[in-house]
Amino acid sequence: MNLKFAPQFVHYLRAGRMGDAAAMKAAMFGVRAYPEIAQKLRLLRTPFPAIDLDPLRALPESSFGRQYAAFMDRNGLRPFLVSPEVAEELWPEHVLEVRYPLLHDAFHVLLDFDVSLVGELGVWSFVAAQHYSPAYDRAGWLGATIYPLIAPRKRAALAAAARRGRALGERAACLIAEPLELYWRDPIEEVRVELRIQEPAIRTYAPGAGPW
């Protein structure tokens, strides 16, 4: 634990700056990114994107942004906002531990996992398979070990989610280092294909449908 961020965490919490408090808390319990991931994160123009649900709600229903906003509304969630001064302080050493909680719900939407225990294990299995950090690798393993003990009746569903999450993580682009905020307006199916989460649809020949 990095206690140097503790006073700032308390300060922002008391000031009602919940996004900055969340960022400082994440930095306090920081995780070490693998060197290749840290290098990719340094290339991001906006490591801590500001996410405003109101304009996303106005996007077309099929868009990634609209689907994300609907997911957040449905589950009573709100994205946290990191101020420019806190973002500057935490960049680049603490990008991973702040960026991942900030985008965790976007991962749920792109990977099509809900917020149940099964869905959470699916996302953490994906993250572990993408190898962002040793701590996240361990989190994926711990989830796969502990969740079936917590919910033994869901063992089969948990195992299936873990398998699917790992498979997606092995083939997808490095999601944590992608500028996801640039995809809000795009159809979510196209975003999934672009990020190699989903295979392109295979068009089959239909008689009379014209040349292909």
Side-chain angles (χ1 to χ4, degrees), residues 65-196:
R66 175 73 174 274
Q67 292 294 308
Y68 171 81
F71 175 91
M72 299 295 278
D73 289 340
R74 187 165 59 248
N75 293 292
L77 301 171
R78 292 293 180 270
F80 65 81
L81 177 66
V82 181
S83 67
E85 62 267 29
V86 170
E88 183 177 358
E89 180 177 357
L90 297 180
W91 188 90
E93 288 83 3
H94 301 282
V95 173
L96 177 62
E97 58 264 48
V98 178
R99 182 175 175 81
Y100 179 67
L102 180 63
L103 294 176
H104 175 80
D105 296 309
F107 277 45
H108 272 273
V109 175
L110 287 170
L111 302 173
D112 196 22
F113 282 117
D114 62 21
V115 296
S116 68
L117 206 62
V118 172
E120 290 294 344
L121 180 57
V123 173
W124 273 110
S125 298
F126 173 91
V127 170
Q130 293 237 301
H131 298 299
Y132 298 153
S133 78
Y136 287 177
D137 292 350
R138 290 192 295 272
W141 178 83
L142 283 172
T145 302
I146 294 173
Y147 286 8
L149 301 177
I150 297 173
R153 294 184 180 180
K154 296 183 177 180
R155 284 180 183 272
L158 288 165
R163 286 194 300 271
R164 179 170 173 265
R166 286 193 298 270
L168 291 175
E170 289 168 0
R171 82 178 187 209
C174 181
L175 217 57
I176 195 64
E178 290 290 331
L180 298 184
E181 71 278 4
L182 300 183
Y183 292 100
W184 291 134
R185 295 180 175 276
D186 297 338
I188 191 167
E189 298 303 317
E190 293 182 9
V191 177
R192 286 170 174 155
V193 170
E194 175 72 18
L195 298 176
R196 302 198 301 277

